Amino acid sequence: MEFLAILVSLPTRQSAGRMRIWRALRTLGCATLRDGVYLLPESSEHAAALEQIAEDVRAVQGTADLYRLAGRDELQQAGIVALFDRGPEYARLLATIADTDAGNSKARRALRRDLAALMAIDYLPGEAMRQVEAALAALESAASGEPSATSGRIRRLASADFSGRTWATRKNLWVDRMASAWLIRRFIDKKAKFLWLDDPKRCPKTALGFDFDGAAFTHVGGRVSFEVLAASFGLDSDSALARIAAIVHCLDVGGVPVAEAAGIEAVLAGARAAAPNDDKLLIEASRVLDNLYRNYRQENPDD
């Protein structure tokens, strides 16, 4: 991938012109390489837009030049690409969605406009965009009473109907499966027994599978297995679980960054390295998640 670079220099007395040029660059979604150097992915449309800005700069006695640019090696190229990461902006939008009342139509329309504007300048879209799209769709669905537009429908279930069941997932647990097993035993089925499968295709018919293709509980649309289980059993309204879900989602499939995710990943990786088997690993992971949940609850005791 190559980029267009515009190098801008404006007279210090041109404060109004400087602000106008800066707003135009921001509206285009330019990344800042350094002071006065702004980037866009190369395209004829972007070239035309930057040429117009260059003309505006020259009209106020500034200088502006356009260049084609690419990284010298993979590391430098990755650094340039990272300048276009919209993860923090999606994170702020996701937080706003979480705090929005589904019945507030004005707020929903504003969120839809904000998401459209962000997507228009997200030149390297990924999981973060899909995650926010799914969250906003769920909010809009809650307002309309219609089910979410996903590849599968999440049915609401009663935990009382799932007591003492055998639950099965792939062995060698990692974040989504660890957290899902913890959620099951902590909130859904306190008497749950677990099977760790070598081959998910050989899952016993009497067992409830999770987090593999064809399982009773697995990824649906933009939601990972932990999120699907929480939604299925009416646990997604718990703000502490929602914060854990955000960490699980981030570590499992990427998307909106979560500040605590790297630390939790390191702790769980240490537990995984030390545990002799998945039963012991679940015990250790459960201690971590219990503490995390307790801390989040203490931060919001009224939830």
Side-chain angles (χ1 to χ4, degrees), residues 32-270:
T32 303
L33 183 62
R34 50 175 289 185
D35 188 32
V37 182
Y38 306 94
L39 307 179
L40 281 177
E42 185 181 24
S43 72
S44 57
E45 294 84 359
H46 288 163
L50 291 178
E51 284 286 5
Q52 181 60 58
I53 290 176
E55 290 181 17
D56 293 341
V57 170
R58 297 177 191 122
V60 293
Q61 289 76 53
T63 61
D65 297 287
L66 265 66
Y67 296 89
R68 183 180 293 113
L69 179 147
R72 290 178 302 163
D73 52 36
E74 289 185 5
L75 183 61
Q76 193 176 65
Q77 182 75 357
I80 296 171
V81 169
L83 296 174
F84 290 89
D85 177 28
R86 302 291 178 190
E89 293 160 273
Y90 281 117
R92 288 191 289 272
L93 191 53
L94 186 65
T96 302
I97 292 170
D99 290 337
T100 299
D101 185 343
N104 188 335
S105 59
K106 183 178 180 180
R108 293 199 315 273
R109 288 194 297 271
L111 286 167
R112 179 54 67 183
R113 288 195 300 270
D114 291 345
L115 178 57
L118 181 54
M119 290 171 64
I121 59 170
D122 186 2
Y123 300 117
L124 301 168
E127 179 60 27
M129 183 192 74
R130 290 187 289 271
Q131 188 179 352
V132 174
E133 277 191 299
L136 183 53
L139 183 72
E140 293 168 336
S141 295
S144 67
E146 293 297 319
S148 300
T150 62
S151 58
R153 184 174 180 177
I154 298 176
R155 294 187 300 124
R156 182 57 60 89
L157 303 169
S159 58
D161 298 330
F162 290 81
S163 179
R165 299 291 298 272
T166 296
W167 301 73
T169 192
R170 295 169 290 140
K171 69 176 187 179
N172 300 321
L173 301 180
W174 189 225
V175 178
D176 196 11
R177 280 167 285 147
M178 284 183 196
S180 293
W182 168 78
L183 186 75
I184 289 165
R185 183 167 278 167
R186 179 79 160 73
F187 295 96
I188 298 168
D189 182 359
K190 296 185 185 301
K191 298 179 180 178
K193 298 179 286 292
F194 291 103
L195 290 177
W196 316 121
L197 303 170
D198 290 301
D199 182 359
K201 293 180 181 178
R202 296 184 179 180
C203 179
K205 292 182 178 180
T206 55
L208 290 166
F210 62 96
D211 201 48
F212 60 83
D213 288 342
F217 303 95
T218 190
H219 294 210
V220 174
R223 295 173 174 176
V224 300
S225 298
F226 182 92
E227 293 170 304
V228 170
L229 279 161
S232 297
F233 291 93
L235 301 169
D236 47 348
S237 60
D238 184 323
S239 63
L241 287 179
R243 292 178 67 177
I244 293 174
I247 294 171
V248 175
H249 189 111
C250 176
L251 294 179
D252 194 47
V253 295
V256 172
V258 180
E260 305 97 312
I264 297 300
E265 181 180 30
V267 172
L268 292 177

